[in-house]
Amino acid sequence: MILSQSIEQRLGRLGGVIARWSVVFFFLAFGLYKFTAEEAAGIAPLLTHSPVFFWAIPALGQQGASNLVGVLEIAFAVLIALRHVLPRLSGYGSLATAGALVVTLSFLFTTPKLDPALGGFIIKDLTLLGAALWSAGEAFAAARLRGEGAARYGTAQTVAL
C-alpha cells in the first residue's frame, strides 16, 4: 500500500513528537528515581566502574552521586521539552542527552559481572540515543529557520511539530 504524501508527513511528525517526548519522559522519570536510596544503590556499581563517573561516589557519596546524575537527567529533560520555546537550547539539551546515553551504553563494557537483566535494560538506550540525535537535528533546524525568518521577514517563524 502506498500512502499519500500528506499521510507520510503526518506520520513523520507524529513519530517525531512521540520520540522527543519519550526521551523527555524517560529522563524526567529516571532522573527523579535517582533521588531514592534504592536507585542510588542500584547504580553504584555502574558509576564505580565508569570512565566518566568513577570519581562521583568517592567525592559525593553513593546518594550524592546518584542525586547528581538525577539532576543532570532532569535538566536534560527540561531542555528538550523547551523545543517550541527555545529550539536552540533544546538542541543542546538533546545533544547532552545523547552524550549521557553514550555514557550509559558504555556501562555494558565497563561494568564487570553486569547482571544480564540490567544489560538488557541498558540496551534500550540505543533507541533513546537515536531519538535524542534526531531531536537535536530537528531542534537546531527549527532554530535556524526561526533565525532566518526573523532576519528575512522581521518576525520569528517556527517549524511546528
Side-chain angles (χ1 to χ4, degrees):
M1 168 164 64
I2 297 178
L3 301 176
S4 72
Q5 186 176 5
S6 173
I7 291 174
E8 291 169 356
Q9 290 172 344
R10 287 183 197 152
L11 287 172
R13 284 193 301 271
L14 178 61
V17 168
I18 292 170
R20 174 175 285 120
W21 286 99
S22 69
V23 174
V24 169
F25 173 76
F26 264 98
F27 268 65
L28 185 60
F30 283 98
L32 290 170
Y33 190 47
K34 296 294 186 286
F35 291 92
T36 67
E38 177 186 22
E39 179 67 354
I43 68 168
L46 304 174
L47 297 180
T48 299
H49 298 286
S50 169
V52 176
F53 285 106
F54 66 90
W55 58 270
I57 292 176
L60 305 171
Q62 184 172 287
Q63 188 62 58
S66 186
N67 291 352
L68 171 65
V69 173
V71 166
L72 292 171
E73 289 178 348
I74 292 166
F76 298 161
V78 169
L79 288 172
I80 295 171
L82 292 173
R83 157 57 184 87
H84 290 288
V85 180
L86 299 166
R88 187 175 317 277
L89 199 55
S90 178
Y92 288 123
S94 295
L95 284 179
T97 299
L101 290 162
V102 168
V103 170
T104 302
L105 286 165
S106 76
F107 296 158
L108 293 170
F109 308 102
T110 62
T111 307
K113 299 180 184 174
L114 182 66
D115 177 356
L118 181 56
F121 180 75
I122 290 173
I123 289 292
K124 63 116 176 57
D125 289 351
L126 192 56
T127 301
L128 293 173
L129 174 60
L133 292 172
W134 168 85
S135 177
E138 189 283 331
F140 283 126
R144 180 181 43 79
L145 290 173
R146 179 180 282 187
E148 288 176 3
R152 187 177 304 144
Y153 302 107
T155 60
Q157 295 181 354
T158 60
V159 175
L161 263 191

